[in-house]
Amino acid sequence: MAEMASKNLTSAAVFFLLLLLDWSATPTLARVRDRHRPCKRMVFYFHDILYNGHNAKNATAAIVGAPAWGNTTILASQNHFGNVVVFDDPITLDNNLHSPAVGRAQGFYLYDKKDVFTAWLGFSFVFNSTEHKGSINFAGADPLMNKTRDISVIGGTGEFFMARGVATLTTDAFEGEVYFRLRADIKLYECW
Amino acid sequence: MAEMASKNLTSAAVFFLLLLLDWSATPTLARVRDRHRPCKRMVFYFHDILYNGHNAKNATAAIVGAPAWGNTTILASQNHFGNVVVFDDPITLDNNLHSPAVGRAQGFYLYDKKDVFTAWLGFSFVFNSTEHKGSINFAGADPLMNKTRDISVIGGTGEFFMARGVATLTTDAFEGEVYFRLRADIKLYECW
Amino acid sequence: MAEMASKNLTSAAVFFLLLLLDWSATPTLARVRDRHRPCKRMVFYFHDILYNGHNAKNATAAIVGAPAWGNTTILASQNHFGNVVVFDDPITLDNNLHSPAVGRAQGFYLYDKKDVFTAWLGFSFVFNSTEHKGSINFAGADPLMNKTRDISVIGGTGEFFMARGVATLTTDAFEGEVYFRLRADIKLYECW
């Protein structure tokens, strides 16, 4: 009697075991999610030089949209509310503008608050080097007067296939209305 | 014999048990996904007052892009096709523009169809109160003549860390080309 | 003694079994993720006819943003850097512009590199036919001189509820600065 029960149990146990093995053998099984441990973390800097009518050669960004009271050469009053800027900024590993670029930050930001500097970002980090091949896509609000602020990693391609996560931005430098440098601390919580 | 099998089985069972316990003990384990039960649901209203040349003080939004046949003070013909609008709209808990704002809806919309009012949205809900701290990021098509339409929650930060879901939009009021109010029924299906 | 152990084990096994059954019975359980097998794959073409001052009737797209050195009728120099284009393009199943449209591609692209054609895209595929009902939302960098390039599927609604994935874009035709046709090979890796 006990033996029969044991046999049944053995079958059941073997079934569970196979099931679990099969499950864990799947090549790209989603990792268990843990908000305290990113599956990938990287820090980069990117450098934005805004076209102001006199720096066509060096500019990496240009105003392309403005409200009725503005134009596309000078950032508008009221904390630049309504200005849309397109950019193609070099990405570096340290905070030196002249360090070799390891990729490009490409997309747009727009200023969207009248009474304090605040922006909304939609852009990608595009890599095509021996270090990194692929892109990381970002979107989110950037209340840029805060010391740090988080935006979303909404997807990725290549090496960053299907990535999701958060990037913590810090303004590392801000020089007049022409140059700023952001530090991006990218934490991915979904890696494939 | 039966006893030995039982012992092995006990080991196996304990192993499974530990495995399952370990799994369920992970602090931020992904919940089982269920499209019929959001893990979080919230309803908000947001209020858009478009700058029209005469309402600089109250306006929460401004036209910043227009097609060749338009300008940035008056919405263009052909259902405003090509107009890009940047906004910083108050979010309220009820449908009263004068209720205390619990956050700001910040980003842009653009009209993208000639023969019917249709928009595309990229924006965030930004909260910084005792109620909510964090942001929810949205993107998607808004065929605004439909009674309800869904856009995507593409990410979140702070309290809404890594959120994904859907927001069902309803036009709750529409007054000329200056004021509209949207009801957003936010349903998150991935909560961390 | 052995019998008692067996009984306990039976209980434990039944518990595991129920747990696993319950789990697999959940109606919309996340599929196991596999980067080699999309859970859904679809190929579409979409057709962009850019307004150039002479084609108001046929145009499906219009320049709505330009840098200081450009305008909204003619694409700017320097690889159109800074031009923002809003579009409402027909989607077809084959590469024929005159085939019946099965949906609309709606949103924007912007050119964001001075020394080579490169764009950034934010748009949706909107379907409302017997074949497909719902929308797919996309974002990402489009280095359009590459034969193929990947952008992210960042969300979906209706039939494509909560979708995530990658779309591989190919330029299928390019005629002057007025017409281009993209092939989109959409691979979803998260289906609900």
Side-chain angles (χ1 to χ4, degrees):
Chain A
M1 176 68 191
E3 213 171 326
M4 238 184 78
S6 292
K7 266 188 196 164
N8 287 345
L9 277 171
T10 310
S11 311
V14 164
F15 168 76
F16 292 141
L17 193 59
L18 288 175
L19 199 144
L20 285 162
L21 283 177
D22 175 63
W23 188 51
S24 58
T26 305
T28 54
L29 182 74
R31 297 185 189 204
V32 170
R33 297 168 168 195
D34 186 340
R35 72 185 296 160
H36 303 292
R37 279 180 302 185
C39 47
K40 189 159 207 159
R41 188 165 182 177
M42 299 168 292
V43 173
F44 295 107
Y45 294 80
F46 62 108
H47 307 261
D48 195 81
I49 303 171
L50 185 61
Y51 177 75
N52 66 355
H54 308 291
N55 58 355
K57 246 193 187 149
N58 297 327
T60 65
I63 306 172
V64 303
W69 58 88
N71 62 64
T72 52
T73 306
I74 300 169
L75 287 164
S77 58
Q78 300 197 68
N79 293 291
H80 317 335
F81 181 80
N83 277 137
V84 181
V85 174
V86 167
F87 63 92
D88 169 36
D89 292 349
I91 301 171
T92 59
L93 294 177
D94 61 17
N95 66 0
N96 187 338
L97 168 61
H98 303 293
S99 293
V102 297
R104 306 296 293 191
Q106 300 179 329
F108 72 99
Y109 55 85
L110 49 85
Y111 289 98
D112 59 4
K113 201 160 175 58
K114 287 181 188 172
D115 49 3
V116 60
F117 287 118
T118 298
W120 202 88
L121 311 171
F123 68 102
S124 303
F125 272 14
V126 181
F127 299 99
N128 186 14
S129 67
T130 45
E131 277 300 294
H132 296 297
K133 274 197 188 357
S135 66
I136 306 175
N137 300 321
F138 304 88
D142 178 11
L144 48 91
M145 298 311 284
N146 295 5
K147 196 174 179 325
T148 66
R149 52 272 181 193
D150 285 350
I151 59 171
S152 292
V153 172
I154 57 174
T157 68
E159 177 184 337
F160 307 104
F161 178 76
M162 293 290 285
R164 288 191 76 228
V166 161
T168 301
L169 302 181
T170 318
T171 304
D172 194 58
F174 186 78
E175 296 172 10
E177 299 196 332
V178 172
Y179 174 73
F180 68 77
R181 179 173 64 235
L182 294 185
R183 180 183 185 272
D185 181 354
I186 302 171
K187 289 154 279 189
L188 304 182
Y189 296 90
E190 292 192 18
C191 304
W192 282 58
Chain B
M1 177 69 191
E3 213 173 323
M4 238 182 78
S6 291
K7 265 188 197 164
N8 288 345
L9 277 170
T10 308
S11 311
V14 164
F15 170 76
F16 293 143
L17 193 58
L18 287 176
L19 199 143
L20 285 162
L21 282 177
D22 175 64
W23 187 53
S24 58
T26 306
T28 54
L29 182 74
R31 298 186 189 204
V32 170
R33 297 169 168 194
D34 186 340
R35 72 183 298 158
H36 303 294
R37 279 181 301 185
C39 47
K40 189 158 206 159
R41 188 165 181 177
M42 298 167 291
V43 173
F44 295 107
Y45 294 81
F46 61 109
H47 307 261
D48 195 81
I49 303 171
L50 186 60
Y51 177 74
N52 66 355
H54 308 291
N55 58 354
K57 246 195 187 149
N58 297 328
T60 65
I63 306 171
V64 302
W69 59 89
N71 61 63
T72 51
T73 306
I74 301 169
L75 287 164
S77 58
Q78 300 197 72
N79 293 289
H80 317 333
F81 181 79
N83 277 136
V84 181
V85 175
V86 167
F87 62 92
D88 169 35
D89 293 348
I91 301 171
T92 59
L93 293 177
D94 62 16
N95 66 1
N96 188 338
L97 168 60
H98 303 294
S99 294
V102 296
R104 306 296 294 191
Q106 299 179 329
F108 73 98
Y109 55 84
L110 49 85
Y111 290 97
D112 60 4
K113 201 162 175 58
K114 287 182 189 171
D115 50 2
V116 61
F117 286 118
T118 298
W120 201 88
L121 311 172
F123 68 102
S124 303
F125 273 13
V126 181
F127 300 98
N128 187 14
S129 68
T130 46
E131 276 301 295
H132 296 296
K133 272 198 190 355
S135 65
I136 307 174
N137 300 320
F138 304 88
D142 178 12
L144 48 90
M145 298 312 283
N146 296 4
K147 194 173 180 324
T148 66
R149 52 276 180 189
D150 285 350
I151 59 172
S152 292
V153 173
I154 58 174
T157 67
E159 177 184 339
F160 307 103
F161 178 76
M162 294 290 286
R164 288 191 77 227
V166 161
T168 300
L169 301 181
T170 319
T171 304
D172 194 60
F174 186 79
E175 295 171 11
E177 298 196 334
V178 172
Y179 174 72
F180 67 77
R181 179 173 64 236
L182 294 185
R183 181 183 185 272
D185 181 355
I186 302 172
K187 289 154 279 188
L188 304 183
Y189 296 91
E190 292 192 18
C191 303
W192 281 57
Chain C
M1 176 70 189
E3 213 172 327
M4 238 182 78
S6 292
K7 265 187 194 162
N8 287 345
L9 277 169
T10 310
S11 311
V14 164
F15 170 75
F16 293 142
L17 193 59
L18 288 175
L19 199 144
L20 286 161
L21 282 177
D22 175 63
W23 188 51
S24 58
T26 305
T28 53
L29 182 74
R31 295 186 190 204
V32 170
R33 297 168 168 194
D34 186 340
R35 70 184 297 158
H36 303 292
R37 278 181 301 185
C39 48
K40 188 159 206 159
R41 189 167 181 176
M42 299 168 291
V43 174
F44 294 106
Y45 294 80
F46 62 107
H47 307 261
D48 196 81
I49 303 171
L50 186 61
Y51 177 74
N52 65 355
H54 306 291
N55 58 355
K57 246 196 186 146
N58 296 328
T60 66
I63 305 171
V64 302
W69 58 87
N71 62 63
T72 52
T73 307
I74 301 168
L75 287 164
S77 58
Q78 300 196 71
N79 293 291
H80 316 334
F81 181 80
N83 278 135
V84 180
V85 175
V86 167
F87 62 91
D88 169 35
D89 293 348
I91 301 172
T92 58
L93 294 177
D94 61 17
N95 65 0
N96 188 338
L97 168 62
H98 303 292
S99 294
V102 297
R104 307 295 293 192
Q106 299 179 330
F108 73 99
Y109 55 85
L110 50 85
Y111 290 97
D112 60 4
K113 202 162 174 57
K114 287 181 187 171
D115 50 1
V116 61
F117 287 119
T118 299
W120 201 88
L121 312 172
F123 68 102
S124 303
F125 273 14
V126 181
F127 299 100
N128 187 14
S129 67
T130 46
E131 277 301 295
H132 296 297
K133 273 200 190 356
S135 66
I136 307 174
N137 300 322
F138 304 88
D142 178 12
L144 48 91
M145 298 312 283
N146 295 5
K147 195 174 181 319
T148 66
R149 52 275 179 189
D150 284 352
I151 59 171
S152 291
V153 173
I154 58 174
T157 68
E159 177 183 339
F160 307 103
F161 177 76
M162 293 290 286
R164 287 191 77 227
V166 160
T168 300
L169 301 181
T170 318
T171 303
D172 194 60
F174 186 79
E175 296 171 9
E177 299 196 332
V178 172
Y179 174 73
F180 68 79
R181 179 171 65 235
L182 293 185
R183 180 184 186 272
D185 181 355
I186 301 171
K187 289 155 281 191
L188 304 183
Y189 296 91
E190 292 193 18
C191 303
W192 281 58

